[in-house]
Amino acid sequence: MVVLNSLHIPPSPSASSPSIATSFSNCSNASLHLTRRGALISCSTALVASFLNFCDPILTPPSYFSALAVQHVQQEDELEQEEDRVVRLFLETSLSVVSIKDLELSKNAKSSLNEVVLTEDENAKVEGTGSGFIWDNFGHIVTNYHVVEKLATDKSGLQLCKVSVVDAEGKRFYREGKIIGFDPAYDLAVLKIDIEGHNLKPAILGTSNDLHVGQSCFAIGNPYGYENTLTTGVVSGLGREIPSPNGKAIRGAIQTDAAINAGNSGGPLVDSHGHVIGVNTATFTRKGTGVSSGVNFAIAIDTVVRTVPYLIVYGTPYTNRF
């Protein structure tokens, strides 16, 4: 998102208006303790207030304009604080988000798998992209099953996943993601990467049983291959049902209007504290357009927490073992 700001510089006061000049000077000194936007708003407001008061002090009491100026400053400061909070949330949370590329090796490939993962040469074809997030310090990555379905069902040995990761120090590196376990019924899968020489920043998990419709949420992922993309929205609905890759229903899904597009799948949906509350999974599109309708879904984190440990330890979901 690009935000364009215009800087308005008020005209210089004339020598014939000493009260205007004095007010502008005093306001300039006060602006040292304000943000840039707050200072500009307060200076402009105080200047207008002084001019009107100079013209007719009876009709325009100084106290009114002083209160108006303070109100503008407070509103601008609150806006900037909110923006700063979202920026900090993204910077802290994005370190836990990874980008996943599905690659198909050429049958006559002469390169080793590691060379293909690092260079992505002509011997590898990109089949698709997705997202995921770091589960723990051991290199486990959680994503959607449909993101790695080709790898999970591959019998040719030509499918692999290239995972792009940023470590805790902010250094990006690439590894091959090896599938550890998957559960099509909940559209979840776990990859494992080699983390030698790197320290990871696992995502902070939240809960989904205490969510409320209307609260803010943020989706981080790689839509259409654009890494580290942030979209914002609110929780639009709770307890939804969405189809899973095996045709069954995934219950308890979170509905949101935070934009989720191709490539966002598997990435985290987080709350205002940066805690993961869901795994971004699906979106409804307008028929024939491919354009998102704004009705998007994430698998609730409580469901993920019940499923992923079994996939890490046993490679299969709980229901397959008993």
Side-chain angles (χ1 to χ4, degrees), residues 137-159:
N137 287 307
F138 302 103
H140 291 110
I141 307 294
V142 172
T143 186
N144 283 138
Y145 169 74
H146 74 261
V147 171
V148 296
E149 183 175 4
K150 290 186 177 180
L151 177 62
T153 58
D154 177 44
K155 295 182 180 180
S156 66
L158 299 177
Q159 296 288 336

Side-chain angles (χ1 to χ4, degrees), residues 64-79:
Y64 170 79
F65 292 103
S66 298
L68 185 62
V70 170
Q71 182 181 7
H72 275 290
V73 171
Q74 290 176 342
Q75 290 175 345
E76 288 296 311
D77 281 347
E78 289 174 0
L79 175 61

Side-chain angles (χ1 to χ4, degrees), residues 12 22 31 39 52 61-62 72 85 91 118 121 124 128-129 139 145 150 173 182 191 213 224 231 247 261 313:
S12 302
T22 301
S31 69
L52 293 176
H72 275 290
R85 186 183 64 81
L91 291 175
L118 293 176
D121 62 14
T129 61
Y145 169 74
K150 290 186 177 180
F173 64 100
F182 55 87
L191 298 175
V213 173
Y224 303 107
T231 55
N261 294 287
V313 176

Side-chain angles (χ1 to χ4, degrees), residues 32-304:
L32 295 176
H33 305 287
L34 303 172
T35 62
R36 179 189 298 178
R37 288 182 300 175
L40 289 174
I41 292 295
S42 62
C43 289
S44 301
T45 306
L47 181 60
V48 173
S50 299
F51 177 75
L52 293 176
N53 188 48
F54 176 75
C55 295
D56 194 344
I58 298 177
L59 298 178
T60 55
S63 59
Y64 170 79
F65 292 103
S66 298
L68 185 62
V70 170
Q71 182 181 7
H72 275 290
V73 171
Q74 290 176 342
Q75 290 175 345
E76 288 296 311
D77 281 347
E78 289 174 0
L79 175 61
E80 188 160 351
Q81 289 173 7
E82 175 65 17
E83 289 178 346
D84 289 343
R85 186 183 64 81
V86 174
V87 170
R88 287 195 302 270
L89 180 146
F90 173 74
L91 291 175
E92 295 172 359
T93 309
S94 61
L95 293 177
S96 305
V97 183
V98 306
S99 173
I100 299 173
K101 281 187 178 180
D102 291 321
L103 303 177
E104 182 179 8
L105 299 179
S106 171
K107 291 184 179 180
N108 58 355
K110 298 180 181 179
S111 303
S112 68
L113 291 181
N114 287 335
E115 289 175 343
V116 170
V117 168
L118 293 176
T119 63
E120 214 172 295
D121 62 14
E122 67 277 2
N123 292 320
K125 176 184 177 183
V126 178
E127 293 282 300
T129 61
S131 306
F133 61 92
I134 301 170
W135 181 263
D136 55 29
N137 287 307
F138 302 103
H140 291 110
I141 307 294
V142 172
T143 186
N144 283 138
Y145 169 74
H146 74 261
V147 171
V148 296
E149 183 175 4
K150 290 186 177 180
L151 177 62
T153 58
D154 177 44
K155 295 182 180 180
S156 66
L158 299 177
Q159 296 288 336
L160 61 87
C161 281
K162 176 180 179 178
V163 183
S164 173
V165 190
V166 177
D167 64 18
E169 286 72 40
K171 181 180 179 181
R172 183 173 295 279
F173 64 100
Y174 302 89
R175 291 291 187 269
E176 178 187 358
K178 297 182 179 180
I179 196 159
I180 298 298
F182 55 87
D183 185 358
Y186 287 107
D187 198 8
L188 293 171
V190 178
L191 298 175
K192 180 93 164 41
I193 61 172
D194 178 12
I195 61 169
E196 184 178 356
H198 297 276
N199 294 318
L200 302 183
K201 186 179 184 300
I204 301 175
L205 305 181
T207 60
S208 52
N209 62 0
D210 57 354
L211 294 177
H212 298 282
V213 173
Q215 74 178 76
S216 298
C217 59
F218 307 85
I220 303 177
N222 312 285
Y224 303 107
Y226 292 103
E227 295 185 357
N228 290 330
T229 297
L230 172 72
T231 55
T232 66
V234 297
V235 174
S236 305
L238 298 167
R240 306 305 196 201
E241 288 191 5
I242 58 175
S244 68
N246 67 358
K248 296 182 179 180
I250 302 175
R251 295 181 174 86
I254 302 167
Q255 180 185 335
T256 176
D257 65 345
I260 296 175
N261 294 287
N264 271 115
S265 293
L269 184 71
V270 302
D271 62 15
S272 299
H273 302 288
H275 300 167
V276 179
I277 58 175
V279 178
N280 300 320
T281 299
T283 181
F284 282 154
T285 59
R286 296 184 178 89
K287 186 176 181 180
T289 66
V291 177
S292 174
S293 61
V295 181
N296 311 301
F297 300 96
I299 301 170
I301 193 62
D302 290 354
T303 300
V304 179

